Amino acid sequence: MAAQNSVLTQIARPYASALFDLAQSENQLASVETGLSDISRLIGESDDFSRYLHSPVISGDVKAAALDAILGKAKVNPLVANFLRLVARNGRLFALDNIIAGFRDLAAAARGETTAEVTSATPLSAEQASALSETLKTKLGKTVTLNQFVDPSLIGGLQVKVGSQMIDSSIKTKLAAMKIAMKEVG
């Protein structure tokens, strides 16, 4: 899996960098980032759409046509729409998640920010997200942008990933640790 992620990163990096440079030169960095976040959310919310984008059986032209129909109905930033069409024509939609992540990293670095991936059992309220962001800002010394995910299997608590650091205070992990400890005792 690590080798596959490395290959995807190698494919995604030039696309993310090119889009970042173009968005920065057009003074559209914020709107492009918002558009990409919307696309990322769509991929995350729809398993069917995600499988469609990653399917090696469906040709790039068919994917591009379907994407055109979606982009026509959604009010997506024109720069993002043209970029997605290019990625589809080049047959690289399977790497779209990595391209978006690469773009976010470049945009955050340009703003002096870092990104934290936060997974919780239920969606965080605005107050909870703000408090977590402030706590991380104090700890890291940088403004922290939260990418929030929901995983009901966590039962409660949070998993926070910043760069290579992982903080896991989920009940699921604590129960798993207790189960292991009980096996060792008994």
Side-chain angles (χ1 to χ4, degrees), residues 74-142:
K75 305 293 183 224
V76 178
N77 177 306
L79 190 59
V80 173
N82 288 337
F83 176 76
L84 291 173
R85 288 181 185 107
L86 173 75
V87 171
R89 275 196 311 271
N90 289 348
R92 298 293 190 233
L93 283 174
F94 66 89
L96 188 57
D97 292 334
N98 294 74
I99 293 170
I100 292 171
F103 181 90
R104 283 181 179 155
D105 291 345
L106 291 170
R111 290 188 304 266
E113 296 177 353
T114 190
T115 302
E117 291 183 5
V118 180
T119 306
S120 58
T122 59
L124 297 177
S125 69
E127 297 83 27
Q128 290 170 324
S130 178
L132 178 58
S133 184
E134 284 301 315
T135 301
L136 291 171
K137 180 179 181 180
T138 302
K139 182 174 175 91
L140 301 172
K142 294 182 178 181

Side-chain angles (χ1 to χ4, degrees), residues 50-94:
S50 179
R51 280 192 301 271
Y52 183 79
L53 292 178
H54 292 89
S55 174
V57 176
I58 303 167
S59 74
D61 293 336
V62 172
K63 287 180 187 177
L67 196 59
D68 266 342
I70 292 169
L71 295 173
K73 295 208 186 283
K75 305 293 183 224
V76 178
N77 177 306
L79 190 59
V80 173
N82 288 337
F83 176 76
L84 291 173
R85 288 181 185 107
L86 173 75
V87 171
R89 275 196 311 271
N90 289 348
R92 298 293 190 233
L93 283 174
F94 66 89

Side-chain angles (χ1 to χ4, degrees), residues 117-124 147-161 166-176:
E117 291 183 5
V118 180
T119 306
S120 58
T122 59
L124 297 177
N147 288 336
Q148 298 182 44
F149 303 95
V150 176
D151 180 1
S153 74
L154 295 181
I155 305 169
L158 296 173
Q159 291 179 335
V160 180
K161 183 178 178 192
M166 175 77 147
I167 303 164
D168 189 344
S169 66
S170 68
I171 293 176
K172 177 182 179 180
T173 301
K174 290 179 181 178
L175 288 173

